[in-house]
Amino acid sequence: MKFTNSPMQEVTFNNRKLYIKRDDLLDTHFSGNKARKFYYFYKNDFKNINKLVSYGSAQANSLYSMSVLAKLRGWNFEFYVKHIASFLKNNPQGNYKAALENGAKIIEKNVEDLNCFIKKNIYQCDDTLYIQEGGREKEASYGIEILANEIKTWQHENDIKDLLVCLPSGTGTTALFLQKYLDCEVVTCSCVGKDEYLKKQFFMLEENEKYHPKILEKPKNYHFGKLYLEFYEIYKQLKKQTNIEFDLLYDPLGFISLFNSSYIKTNRTIVYIHQGGILGNPSMIERYNRKFCFKK
Ligand SMILES: *Cc1c(COP(=O)(O)O)cnc(C)c1O
């Protein structure tokens, strides 16, 4: 199995030429930035480990990707969630359903119970490997450096001098390590919290601000996971104009911020990273249809 070397695709969106780094196409089951972030744990030897533990939201892309990782490695997998909505329990779907099918044990339990790992800041304890929420780990740099090198190779082969790389952030881990390993400018936007939160995340992984990506301004404040008509509209436009399905949580804001910025009016070559995550789309689309009463 090979979880590297995704294709680069040229597209035009709203009359602007862009390149899409198709990390969503890495592998059907192990793709997107989670595959990059967890590559270290896929590739390296972990003696005596037979269990993987993590935590986060019951719908998280990282939940599904970790269930695939655990399956590939033959590890048991426990995922702690503060609360699982009864609707989801009774109607498993998306990442949650797919993770269960991979044998994940999704447990309602407080994150504080993982103190042994969090406090000591270690990721191995007896026979258990622990990965932080969303893969915010310095080990993530291992796979992201490979992604950066793929972009660099493409850049040199095509003699591109004014490259700009853009991607939306959750924890900011992917954007931060990309900025560290690329020679060009990396821009991002904060999808999960305010810009100050993202900045803090950057500092947790890298003290030197020189390596922090630039945070693009957003036209207004958005709350993660909430439904916004403009998100659904740009998602549909992207699909129509590029024939590519993007995720509904991060990418709408990524494209809105990019197309709102002055970069789009320059001649610079722009690469947008498709970070996967479309397994959650059907349930998001259902929510959009319910909320805004679209006809199917
Ligand atoms: C996890 C995820 C992100 C955020 O990645 P970070 O490294 O946490 O910033 C963005 N897009 C998609 C599709 C994701 O699954």
Side-chain angles (χ1 to χ4, degrees):
M1 257 172 285
K2 189 171 128 275
F3 301 121
T4 55
N5 258 319
S6 62
M8 189 72 89
Q9 184 181 343
E10 187 184 325
V11 299
T12 302
F13 183 63
N14 290 350
N15 299 316
R16 175 60 156 92
K17 192 172 96 170
L18 299 167
Y19 292 90
I20 310 292
K21 179 68 171 161
R22 301 291 307 269
D23 265 13
D24 55 317
L25 300 179
L26 281 173
D27 180 89
T28 3
H29 300 294
F30 200 53
S31 72
N33 73 347
K34 303 302 178 291
R36 301 287 191 179
K37 294 208 269 190
F38 301 148
Y39 194 58
Y40 176 87
F41 299 100
Y42 168 72
K43 265 294 210 198
N44 288 284
D45 266 350
F46 294 94
K47 291 211 173 62
N48 310 321
I49 290 297
N50 62 44
K51 187 160 86 179
L52 174 65
V53 171
S54 190
Y55 68 98
S57 116
Q59 295 271 38
N61 294 329
S62 60
L63 163 59
Y64 172 63
S65 299
M66 280 190 234
S67 76
V68 176
L69 172 69
K71 204 172 153 186
L72 287 165
R73 301 285 326 227
W75 296 331
N76 295 314
F77 176 42
E78 283 179 9
F79 192 82
Y80 291 15
V81 181
K82 217 178 259 161
H83 174 70
I84 308 173
S86 51
F87 178 81
L88 186 62
K89 266 190 220 164
N90 298 327
N91 308 275
Q93 50 185 293
N95 290 309
Y96 177 79
K97 183 178 181 209
L100 286 176
E101 284 166 0
N102 279 335
K105 284 206 196 80
I106 305 172
I107 304 163
E108 274 178 295
K109 206 169 176 181
N110 277 327
V111 173
E112 290 72 45
D113 295 337
L114 290 171
N115 251 346
C116 148
F117 298 104
I118 297 171
K119 282 243 175 78
K120 289 192 208 147
N121 203 14
I122 50 170
Y123 63 80
Q124 202 167 333
C125 190
D126 299 327
D127 62 348
T128 302
L129 186 73
Y130 168 74
I131 300 183
Q132 299 217 36
E133 180 170 25
R136 179 169 41 75
E137 302 270 1
K138 56 180 184 329
E139 287 72 28
S141 67
Y142 181 85
I144 297 169
E145 184 173 13
I146 297 172
L147 167 60
N149 286 335
E150 289 170 25
I151 296 170
K152 271 194 213 163
T153 305
W154 172 84
Q155 183 186 0
H156 293 142
E157 280 171 4
N158 293 281
D159 198 21
I160 292 160
K161 298 207 169 55
D162 52 355
L163 184 63
L164 180 80
V165 169
C166 178
L167 68 163
S169 279
T171 65
T173 310
T174 313
L176 181 100
F177 286 126
L178 270 180
Q179 181 63 89
K180 194 161 179 180
Y181 295 118
L182 286 170
D183 316 314
C184 68
E185 191 178 2
V186 174
V187 297
T188 187
C189 66
S190 57
C191 298
V192 171
K194 296 229 166 78
D195 291 358
E196 298 78 58
Y197 159 83
L198 183 58
K199 198 78 192 151
K200 265 196 204 132
Q201 301 280 316
F202 288 160
F203 274 114
M204 282 172 78
L205 291 164
E206 172 60 58
E207 279 170 29
N208 191 343
E209 250 187 299
K210 191 176 93 181
Y211 296 118
H212 291 190
K214 184 190 159 100
I215 303 174
L216 294 174
E217 264 178 52
K218 292 173 285 193
K220 66 178 217 206
N221 256 325
Y222 293 95
H223 294 276
F224 189 64
K226 274 203 179 173
L227 309 184
Y228 300 95
L229 197 51
E230 61 265 41
F231 280 18
Y232 197 45
E233 250 139 34
I234 201 163
Y235 158 85
K236 281 194 289 188
Q237 274 304 317
L238 281 160
K239 204 168 169 183
K240 191 168 153 200
Q241 296 181 36
T242 68
N243 258 320
I244 300 173
E245 173 149 28
F246 287 90
D247 108 291
L248 268 159
L249 286 172
Y250 298 91
D251 288 322
L253 197 46
F255 278 100
I256 286 172
S257 307
L258 175 64
F259 276 75
N260 219 29
S261 75
S262 53
Y263 290 106
I264 217 73
K265 294 173 204 102
T266 66
N267 290 326
R268 292 179 70 168
T269 305
I270 300 179
V271 166
Y272 185 94
I273 318 276
H274 193 321
Q275 301 178 89
I278 62 167
L279 200 58
N281 278 2
S283 65
M284 285 297 286
I285 291 167
E286 222 172 85
R287 288 177 63 200
Y288 270 106
N289 285 333
R290 245 182 286 139
K291 174 154 182 172
F292 297 106
C293 302
F294 295 121
K295 291 199 193 83
K296 291 252 162 95

